[in-house]
């Protein structure tokens, strides 16, 4: 692209020269063809030819005041005007902003520039839409913060004021204020789980997924500005129609339930693991600390797993009226030994029952206010409870018994095949739907005291990030400097069981990265199942190994992880062609 860069400042000295040179270098790195018109005493002023003016596709004026830059030459051209101070801190971001915000120059802009020294900011700031966003993923650990960072960086590069709220595993951080929401032109909800949208009533809302926001943040912002629709106070919770990358329907409801259940599972699992410090059977002695830890973890936290899962599936479907019947149905599923499958059925049954009552049952105005606090919870709980007791409970309990019996008694060959399947699923989309499905399967089985699949799932989930870190170390010459830095961060994330650390590599080179990750993950999963590894805590990565008896065969388990990491790291090092940079994303 042919671009003219004009710089000028009151002193006409060093600032003009420095801005011109930095912008010119940044433009060449973008692949542009820049011509610099520098109004400075350090170099002779360049007189632009008519041919250069005609060929210019973009005029960037960094001048204080703008009137000193001879703007009349550029009438009718695509022009972006800003103060010279804005161009110096980050020239590349300034150029991207200028490209996105440029508009045809007219005579009124010349008048504004001549009237006041500060008018050079007028075109840059005119109608700059403010954006607010919320990011949330089921686990609230990696995708939430990586998507937030990506949107923030893209917003700054495009020149839009943007504020991002993260709803992670520790709750809302950097919460949006009422004033920020009021002043926002558009709201971006990059969420894989349901979040309360009522505070955005009356605003233009764009819904997408954390994965789309992470991989295509600039496209997400531009699509939101162009296509967001107003959410009215009386609109349905889900808004109007699916938008770019948004996960909707049963899958999103299930992930919402898993998201709220996960802290319960992690806390309960670690409590059980801590009780094992005193011995595997120590909890059987009443009055001991081991018995108390087991009562907290296995007797309380694990018993709440399925009610919480069902309750928040129903909440995602029907909002707050769905929580009560959902949790009642989930508790019934637990007491009937229907396990996590029964909890999922109870959640959807309660949610859609409550939603149907809310939407289709019309009552006189005098008692309409009783619907959400009396009628819906009562009727939905009654229907859900009766169906669970008389229809669903017994057959699902038999199915869960058969499943757990099969998993506990299956031979080595079948165990290896299951490990290969779960390991490959964990590495296929790095935190996407397939990965989450495998993880939810393992977490659900913990309630039935089936621990082997969870061990294979966590071990395989560490392999992609560890493998990319290893590959960037053993084949350093094939990786550019930003890739090597991304590899270091990826290795640390892998130790913590955050497979998303490999996303920057997979985004740039998916045809090589994903098969290498799946191969390593499948081997790790198979080896974990082969050695009979059992894990009681569903998260924590290698740091769980520091808790005695949290894993029954720690050295063999560690060996399975190392084997898969070597396969992924070495195979990608051999497959990688050359130093192709990846886009690094900071993780809060």
């Amino acid at each position: 692209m042919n671009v003219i860069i004009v710089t000028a400042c009151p002193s006409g000295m060093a600032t003009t020269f420095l801005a011109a040179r930095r912008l010119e270098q940044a433009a060449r790195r973008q692949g542009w063809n820049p011509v610099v018109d520098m109004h400075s005493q350090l170099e002779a002023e360049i007189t632009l030819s008519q041919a250069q003016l005609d060929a210019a596709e973009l005029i960037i004026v960094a001048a204080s005041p703008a009137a000193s830059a001879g703007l009349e030459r550029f009438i009718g051209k695509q022009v972006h005007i800003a103060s010279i101070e804005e161009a110096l801190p980050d020239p590349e971001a300034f150029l991207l902003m200028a490209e996105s915000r440029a508009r045809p120059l007219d005579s009124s802009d010349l008048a504004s520039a001549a009237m006041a020294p500060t008018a050079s900011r007028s075109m840059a700031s005119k109608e700059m839409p403010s954006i607010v966003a919320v990011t949330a993923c089921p686990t609230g650990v990696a995708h939430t913060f990586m998507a937030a960072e990506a949107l923030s960086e893209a917003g700054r590069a495009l020149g839009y004021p943007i504020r991002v709220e993260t709803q992670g595993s520790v709750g809302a951080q950097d919460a949006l204020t009422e004033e920020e929401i009021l002043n926002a032109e558009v709201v971006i909800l990059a969420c894989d789980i349901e979040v309360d949208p009522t505070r955005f009533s009356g605003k233009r809302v764009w819904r997408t997924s954390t994965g789309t926001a992470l991989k295509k943040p600039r496209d997400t912002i531009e699509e939101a500005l162009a296509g967001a629709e107003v959410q009215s106070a009386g609109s349905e919770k889900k808004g109007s129609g699916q938008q770019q990358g948004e996960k909707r329907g049963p899958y999103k409801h299930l992930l919402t339930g898993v998201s709220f259940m996960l802290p319960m599972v992690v806390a309960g699992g670690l409590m059980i693991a801590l009780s094992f410090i005193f011995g595997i059977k120590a909890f059987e002695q009443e009055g001991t600390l081991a018995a108390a830890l087991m009562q907290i973890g296995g007797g309380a936290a694990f018993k709440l797993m399925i009610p919480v899962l069902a309750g928040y599936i129903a909440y995602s479907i029907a909002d707050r009226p769905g929580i009560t019947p959902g949790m009642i149905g989930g508790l019934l599923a637990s007491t009937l030994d229907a396990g996590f499958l029964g909890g999922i059925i109870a959640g959807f049954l309660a949610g859609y029952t409550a939603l149907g009552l809310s939407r289709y049952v019309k009552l006189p105005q005098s008692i309409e206010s009783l619907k959400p606090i009396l009628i819906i919870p009562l009727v939905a709980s009654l229907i859900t409870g009766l169906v669970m007791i008389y229809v669903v409970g017994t057959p699902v309990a038999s199915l869960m018994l058969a499943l757990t019996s099969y998993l506990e008694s299956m031979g080595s060959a079948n165990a290896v095949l299951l490990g290969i399947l779960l390991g490959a699923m964990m590495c296929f989309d790095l935190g996407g739907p397939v990965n989450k499905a495998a993880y939810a399967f393992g977490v659900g089985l913990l309630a039935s005291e089936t621990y082997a699949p969870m061990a294979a799932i966590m071990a395989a989930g560490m392999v992609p990030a560890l493998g990319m870190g290893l590959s960037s170390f053993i084949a350093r010459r094939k990786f550019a400097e930003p890739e090597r830095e991304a590899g270091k961060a990826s290795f640390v994330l892998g130790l913590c069981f955050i497979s998303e650390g490999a996303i920057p590599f997979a985004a740039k080179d998916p045809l090589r990265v994903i098969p290498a990750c799946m191969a390593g993950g499948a081997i790790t999963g198979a080896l974990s199942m082969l050695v009979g590894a059992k894990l009681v805590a569903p998260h924590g990565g290698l740091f769980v190994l520091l808790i005695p008896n949290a894993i029954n065969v720690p050295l063999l388990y560690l060996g399975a992880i190392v084997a898969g990491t070597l396969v992924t790291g070495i195979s990608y090092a051999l497959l990688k062609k050359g130093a192709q940079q990846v886009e690094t994303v900071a993780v809060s």
Side-chain angles (χ1 to χ4, degrees), residues 321-550:
I323 293 180
T324 297
M327 286 194 170
I328 291 173
L331 185 58
L332 286 170
S334 180
T335 55
L336 293 169
D337 295 325
F340 78 99
L341 291 178
I344 292 172
I345 294 172
F348 282 104
L349 174 62
Y352 285 115
T353 300
L355 181 63
L357 292 170
S358 174
R359 183 180 295 176
Y360 300 114
V361 175
K362 304 301 180 183
L363 298 175
Q365 190 65 34
S366 58
I367 60 172
E368 181 71 23
S369 60
L370 294 177
K371 278 178 65 176
I373 61 173
L374 175 61
I375 297 171
I376 294 177
L378 174 62
V379 177
S381 298
L382 180 63
I383 294 173
T384 302
L386 292 175
V387 171
M388 291 300 299
I389 292 172
Y390 291 111
V391 180
V392 174
T394 301
V396 174
S398 301
L399 179 62
M400 283 298 302
L401 179 61
L403 176 61
T404 54
S405 299
Y406 171 75
L407 291 174
E408 290 172 359
S409 62
M410 63 183 176
S412 298
N414 289 335
V416 167
L417 289 175
L418 179 61
I420 290 173
L421 175 63
L422 293 175
M425 289 176 69
M426 287 298 295
C427 302
F428 175 71
D429 53 359
L430 304 176
V434 177
N435 172 286
K436 289 293 188 291
Y439 184 71
F441 174 74
V443 170
L445 288 175
L446 293 180
S448 304
E449 299 183 1
T450 303
Y451 302 118
M454 190 69 248
I457 286 166
M458 190 169 84
M462 289 187 273
V463 166
L466 290 173
M468 292 301 102
L470 176 64
S471 184
S472 67
F473 178 76
I474 63 178
R476 294 176 60 86
R477 288 180 296 177
K478 289 187 175 183
F479 290 82
E481 182 60 30
E483 288 179 306
R484 291 195 290 271
E485 292 301 317
K488 295 175 185 177
S490 177
F491 194 85
V492 174
L493 293 174
L495 294 175
C496 303
F497 180 41
I498 300 176
S499 56
E500 287 88 345
I503 285 179
F505 298 89
K508 282 292 182 181
D509 195 11
L511 296 181
R512 296 184 181 90
V513 170
I514 292 177
C517 291
M518 290 180 66
I523 288 174
T524 293
L527 290 175
S528 175
M529 294 294 291
L530 182 63
V531 301
K534 295 182 179 180
L535 179 69
V536 297
H539 219 291
L542 286 182
F543 299 102
V544 171
L545 299 181
L546 299 177
I547 302 176
N549 298 315

Side-chain angles (χ1 to χ4, degrees), residues 45-255:
E45 182 176 329
I46 296 175
T47 302
L48 297 172
S49 67
Q50 189 60 45
Q52 289 173 323
L53 290 172
D54 293 339
E57 301 168 71
L58 174 64
I59 314 291
I60 301 174
V61 179
S64 302
S68 63
L71 298 180
E72 62 277 356
R73 300 172 291 171
F74 308 129
I75 290 179
K77 307 292 288 186
Q78 290 291 116
V79 179
H80 176 76
I81 301 175
S83 68
I84 199 168
E85 292 82 4
E86 294 179 61
L88 287 172
D90 191 344
E92 292 186 352
F94 176 77
L95 292 179
L96 292 174
M97 178 187 71
E99 181 186 13
S100 66
R101 300 302 300 162
R103 64 183 183 84
L105 185 72
D106 56 35
S107 56
S108 64
D109 297 311
L110 298 180
S112 299
M115 286 175 63
T118 59
S120 59
R121 299 178 182 265
S122 62
M123 285 186 66
S125 61
K126 189 178 295 184
E127 296 183 1
M128 293 276 286
S130 175
I131 301 170
V132 295
V134 178
T135 62
C137 73
T139 54
V141 177
H143 267 76
T144 298
F145 299 103
M146 295 171 77
E149 185 69 20
L151 287 173
S152 297
E153 292 291 339
R156 285 193 290 268
L158 293 170
Y160 299 120
I162 184 169
R163 275 269 289 114
V164 184
E165 172 184 310
T166 57
Q167 294 196 9
S169 56
V170 294
Q173 293 180 301
D174 299 321
L176 301 172
T177 65
E178 291 184 6
E179 181 180 2
E180 288 171 332
I181 296 172
L182 180 64
N183 295 330
E185 173 71 19
V186 67
V187 177
I188 299 175
L189 299 181
C191 304
D192 297 330
I193 61 175
E194 196 58 58
V195 298
D196 184 8
T198 54
R199 54 182 171 152
F200 305 120
S201 296
K203 307 301 296 185
R204 296 175 61 225
V205 175
W206 178 259
R207 295 176 180 267
T208 186
S209 67
T210 53
T212 301
L214 172 59
K215 296 172 185 176
K216 301 177 180 179
R218 289 188 63 180
D219 292 344
T220 297
I221 291 174
E222 291 170 351
E223 289 167 359
L225 290 169
E229 299 178 1
V230 174
Q231 175 161 319
S232 63
S235 65
E236 290 185 15
K237 186 176 179 180
K238 302 297 183 290
S240 54
Q242 180 173 348
Q243 294 168 356
Q244 182 64 38
E246 186 191 9
K247 298 179 177 68
R248 299 306 298 260
Y251 177 75
K252 187 170 186 177
H253 304 322
L254 177 61
L255 287 189

